[in-house]
Amino acid sequence: MSTYIIEGGHRLSGSIKPQGAKNEALEVISATLLTSEPVTIHNVPNILDVINLINLLKAMRVKVDRLSEDTYRFQADDLDEDYISSADFVARCASLRGSVLVVGPLLARLGQAYFAKPGGDKIGRRRVDTHITGLSKLGAMIAYNEDRQAYYLVSVGGLKGCYMLLDEASVTGTANIVMAAALAEGTTTIYNAACEPYVQQLCKMLVKMGVKIDGIGSNLLSITGVEKLSGADHTILPDMIEVGSFIGMAAITRSELTIKDVSYDNLGIIPDSFRRLGINLERRGDDIFIPSQESYEIETNLDGSIPTIADAPWPGLTPDLLSVMLVTATQCRGSVLIHQKMFESRLFFVDRLIDMGAQIMLCDPHRAVVIGLDHKVPLRANKMHSPDIRAGIAMLIAAMSARGVSRIDNIDQIDRGYQAIDTRLNSIGACIHRRD
């Protein structure tokens, strides 16, 4: 188990560039299974979740060529159908959250797929009902395999397009259904579809591959399936979660920092959400500049009451940034209620922040009130254990602000979502040492 040793109190300076978007990478890499022709993907982040998904594709006999540091070519022209039905395949899928995204492509391409209960973060229950229901409406028959503890999906006579109203705007659920619909007969209409930039990017790549998709960017998608998809060339967006993480780091360490090439128009309300915490940030072309601030004050509601920052489906605030905003708020002036609606265990890491001196009241598994210390009382160093990606980066941000030397264990969780984060942050002034 790897560990970070962090010496807090160092200010950052200079500029940093976000990696490619993790969530988009998992979707578009899975989509390469839909065609036997080569697909080239640029700006692929070198993080654990993506590496594990690429290795899973290699085990399925997908040809994978790394053309440069962040560019890969995939060609799924000789899939190993025996392996895709094996116990080893199901076991590997169960340990990798992103593996849910290979189900739709495999079902559409081969007519069958296993759907293992996915692993990943320890942040509470993560429903897969939307995936299963959507694929069944396309014509998949589903049975539960007790021996392998996985659902088995099979389409007899091929998938057929239909109308469906999703019970929730699930990002991965929408992506899975869209990919399956790409090779289905006829037109599939998805209402209450997720419309995050990741889904938009997936749809744009599928259009390049020959699928007709109407409504991209909305919650009403219409996908006209084709018999065969061609190859494509695709570039992944910058990771909006990294952009938000860097904003939080700059604020809590009172640093002046420029975040380069952020694809600002795809950030939605993320910049304004940080402005609600009193953080001054400027758009400079496609960069974000955060000036050094000795203090930042949370905006109250119009009636003077404590504001709430809550996650919501896009174009609302992504839940992946609430942990970052919570730890950033610990050093603001004022109070804020953080409401994590989606995952019931994602706020439990605040106990570690409380041990560091943060003023936080955990109301229930979904809500926490943060009373900002306004940098008058620095956080204290602490020994912590990362339960998931986003809590891990929040702990790292807290440690960078704290007085003394902190330790974070189980940083493999951070590696799943952040590429060489210690090296990149050290290059702009942080003091983080990794022990493997």
Side-chain angles (χ1 to χ4, degrees), residues 135-146:
L135 295 173
S136 68
K137 287 183 178 179
L138 291 176
M141 294 188 295
I142 300 163
Y144 189 73
N145 187 311
E146 290 285 353

Side-chain angles (χ1 to χ4, degrees), residues 288-334:
I288 290 178
F289 172 72
I290 303 108
S292 175
Q293 290 178 249
E294 293 306 304
S295 179
Y296 44 100
E297 183 173 358
I298 294 174
E299 294 180 359
T300 59
N301 292 329
L302 291 176
D303 62 0
S305 60
I306 294 175
T308 297
I309 293 179
D311 58 334
W314 188 269
L317 181 64
T318 170
D320 285 345
L321 274 177
L322 283 189
S323 299
V324 171
M325 299 192 76
L326 185 150
V327 72
T328 304
T330 64
Q331 290 297 330
C332 69
R333 184 193 308 150

Side-chain angles (χ1 to χ4, degrees), residues 108-177:
R109 180 89 181 274
L110 303 178
Q112 62 182 18
Y114 273 102
F115 197 133
K117 183 178 179 180
D121 294 325
K122 292 177 172 54
I123 56 176
R125 292 168 292 178
R126 304 184 78 165
R127 295 173 63 242
V128 295
D129 305 48
T130 305
H131 302 250
I132 298 293
T133 302
L135 295 173
S136 68
K137 287 183 178 179
L138 291 176
M141 294 188 295
I142 300 163
Y144 189 73
N145 187 311
E146 290 285 353
D147 293 336
R148 296 187 179 177
Q149 296 186 327
Y151 291 99
Y152 179 65
L153 289 72
V154 61
S155 63
V156 179
L159 301 175
K160 292 180 171 56
C162 66
Y163 171 88
M164 65 180 76
L165 173 61
L166 301 188
D167 63 335
E168 65 171 347
S170 164
V171 175
T172 52
T174 299
N176 240 337
I177 296 165

Side-chain angles (χ1 to χ4, degrees), residues 344-406:
E344 70 266 30
S345 302
R346 212 170 206 175
L347 295 182
F348 287 163
F349 79 98
V350 302
D351 286 349
R352 296 302 183 198
L353 302 183
I354 293 170
D355 290 343
M356 298 175 79
Q359 298 292 302
I360 304 172
M361 291 181 289
L362 187 61
C363 307
D364 56 45
H366 292 276
R367 296 178 301 162
V369 174
V370 183
I371 302 168
L373 300 172
D374 194 26
H375 292 286
K376 298 293 192 298
V377 182
L379 297 177
R380 300 184 297 268
N382 194 17
K383 179 179 178 180
M384 297 169 276
H385 182 92
S386 175
D388 66 80
I389 301 174
R390 308 310 172 188
I393 202 68
M395 290 175 178
L396 180 61
I397 293 170
M400 291 168 64
S401 167
R403 177 182 295 164
V405 177
S406 298

